[in-house]
Amino acid sequence: MIVILELIALGVFALIAVNLWKMFAGGGRLPTRKGGPIIEGTAHEARSPAAEAARLMREFENVRAELKGRYPATFAMLGGYLNSHTIGEHGGLEGAVREMLADWAPRREEAMREITKLLAENETEEEVRAIVTAASDADFSQEGYRAWLTWLLGRFNAH
């Protein structure tokens, strides 16, 4: 039994010696491949998908708060009526929009001013989509987010 333990210890010692010899014979550098090291980056850069998602969610919440501060009436209006609960309660998006227009009629000047500001400051469809999506649960990808807000502005103007 002692002989077997001595052989195992000798084998471990031999492996350590061979690894040390290889490291010093190679100049102490990590092996590289053409174009750079075999292992790129560091352990500190590695993130789990959940950690990355949590970081992005924090950033999104910060940006949403900033947008809400810039367009408070739009966020109140869209968030209050174009959420999944209200849309379901009114039998769809059209019913929720009708309710929103009726309830916001007394504040239509404020709504029109802010929608006009939003459209003027955000020229691309992607920017307007980001704002509407941050404020509500509605999907206007068929109509286009800018086109829908322009239509909404016209509905407030018609009253």
Side-chain angles (χ1 to χ4, degrees):
M1 182 71 166
I2 292 180
V3 175
I4 293 174
L5 290 174
E6 287 177 351
L7 287 174
I8 291 173
L10 184 61
V12 169
F13 179 72
L15 285 174
I16 292 172
V18 168
N19 283 330
L20 287 173
W21 178 75
K22 283 183 179 180
M23 189 174 83
F24 287 115
R29 296 182 312 242
L30 291 173
T32 59
R33 61 177 161 80
K34 187 175 182 178
I38 292 174
I39 300 173
E40 297 177 13
T42 65
H44 298 286
E45 293 173 356
R47 292 182 183 248
S48 71
E52 185 66 13
R55 183 186 67 76
L56 292 172
M57 288 297 292
R58 282 190 304 276
E59 287 179 21
F60 174 72
E61 291 298 328
N62 292 336
V63 171
R64 182 172 27 191
E66 190 177 315
L67 288 169
K68 191 175 186 178
R70 187 162 189 80
Y71 309 109
T74 302
F75 269 73
M77 182 175 58
L78 298 181
Y81 291 88
L82 303 185
N83 56 61
S84 56
H85 173 74
T86 307
I87 292 170
E89 185 177 286
H90 287 85
L93 187 57
E94 294 80 14
V97 170
R98 274 193 301 277
E99 182 76 19
M100 180 180 70
L101 287 167
D103 288 351
W104 275 78
R107 296 177 62 185
R108 74 182 189 88
E109 292 295 324
E110 177 186 8
M112 288 172 54
R113 230 182 355 266
E114 200 163 287
I115 292 170
T116 302
K117 176 184 174 184
L118 188 152
L119 289 169
E121 291 178 347
N122 301 283
E123 297 176 3
T124 68
E125 177 73 11
E126 291 80 21
E127 292 170 329
V128 174
R129 176 181 173 260
I131 293 168
V132 172
T133 302
S136 71
D137 294 334
D139 178 23
F140 301 109
S141 54
Q142 295 289 336
E143 303 91 340
Y145 290 84
R146 288 187 64 80
W148 185 81
L149 278 179
T150 303
W151 172 85
L152 183 62
L153 183 60
R155 296 298 299 163
F156 277 120
N157 198 24
H159 286 95

